[in-house]
Amino acid sequence: MKINEIIRKMSFLQLVPLKSDEGAPLANKTKVKIILNLVAYERAMESFNEDMRGIYAKLKPEGYDAQAFPRVNELEKKENISSEEKRELESIKQSEEYLSYVEMKKTLMREFEEARECASADNDYTVSERALTDDDLVSIAEVIPTDKEFAIGKNEDGEIKVNGITVLAEIGRMFIM
């Protein structure tokens, strides 16, 4: 299974509450299937993230970590920065070594993002999914309020929200076999 499909399935299953707003619980059998699926997806995500750490380590130029300028990070995170520290920060940021490091970092991040996109599209991860039945979908429908909006992610315009009926429809499309 591709990592983007895993992420999508995880995001929808994570929206299923264990009980309704009125306190009616999700059926135990359905709850167990959802939890086992989430655990399986998390394992695949861990594997993907491990792959990405390996790719990042191989893409990193020799000596990259030694040039990381921890003082810049320290000063940028500081809330009450003195005028002397501001001058120090500006001096570092205008240095040739720092500008070279910034370019190296941009190149690394661009290459890493390209590698990540390729890995997302090309790599399949084994996931032991538990199929949901029509009865499971009925149980999920009993705990998801259809008039409530759920955030399913973000894009450049902000949060993406869908209502409970859309959540149920997507879960039905993705899981009912």
Side-chain angles (χ1 to χ4, degrees), residues 124-137:
D124 280 315
Y125 293 88
T126 303
V127 177
S128 299
E129 275 187 305
R130 305 307 195 275
L132 298 180
T133 64
D134 291 351
D135 289 339
D136 293 319
L137 190 59

Side-chain angles (χ1 to χ4, degrees), residues 11-152:
S11 68
F12 276 95
L13 282 187
Q14 289 170 334
L15 296 175
V16 178
L18 298 181
K19 61 181 177 180
S20 70
D21 290 344
E22 294 79 33
L26 181 64
N28 282 337
K29 183 179 81 171
T30 304
K31 187 185 323 178
V32 167
K33 286 181 185 179
I34 288 172
I35 290 169
L36 290 174
N37 280 339
L38 287 172
V39 168
Y41 300 145
E42 287 167 5
R43 283 190 186 130
M45 287 297 301
E46 287 171 10
S47 179
F48 176 76
N49 289 335
E50 183 64 31
D51 291 347
M52 293 301 97
R53 284 189 289 277
I55 288 170
Y56 184 81
K58 288 178 179 159
L59 288 173
K60 231 179 355 179
E62 190 173 317
Y64 178 80
D65 291 329
Q67 295 180 346
F69 291 91
R71 182 70 175 150
V72 171
N73 292 335
E74 177 187 327
L75 291 172
E76 286 180 337
K77 289 179 183 176
K78 201 169 182 183
E79 286 185 32
N80 298 322
I81 188 168
S82 71
S83 58
E84 185 178 308
E85 290 171 324
K86 283 181 186 178
R87 283 191 297 276
E88 178 188 0
L89 181 59
E90 284 307 310
S91 173
I92 293 171
K93 285 185 166 186
Q94 292 174 5
S95 71
E96 198 170 305
E97 296 112 85
Y98 183 77
L99 295 173
S100 172
Y101 169 76
V102 168
E103 283 305 311
M104 189 186 317
K105 185 175 182 177
K106 283 181 186 175
T107 300
L108 171 61
M109 296 316 293
R110 186 177 55 252
E111 290 172 351
F112 178 70
E113 193 53 41
E114 288 173 17
R116 183 178 170 78
E117 286 177 25
C118 287
S120 295
D122 296 343
N123 295 353
D124 280 315
Y125 293 88
T126 303
V127 177
S128 299
E129 275 187 305
R130 305 307 195 275
L132 298 180
T133 64
D134 291 351
D135 289 339
D136 293 319
L137 190 59
V138 168
S139 177
I140 292 169
E142 290 172 354
V143 297
I144 288 187
T146 55
D147 59 344
K148 181 178 176 184
E149 284 195 329
F150 295 86
I152 59 167

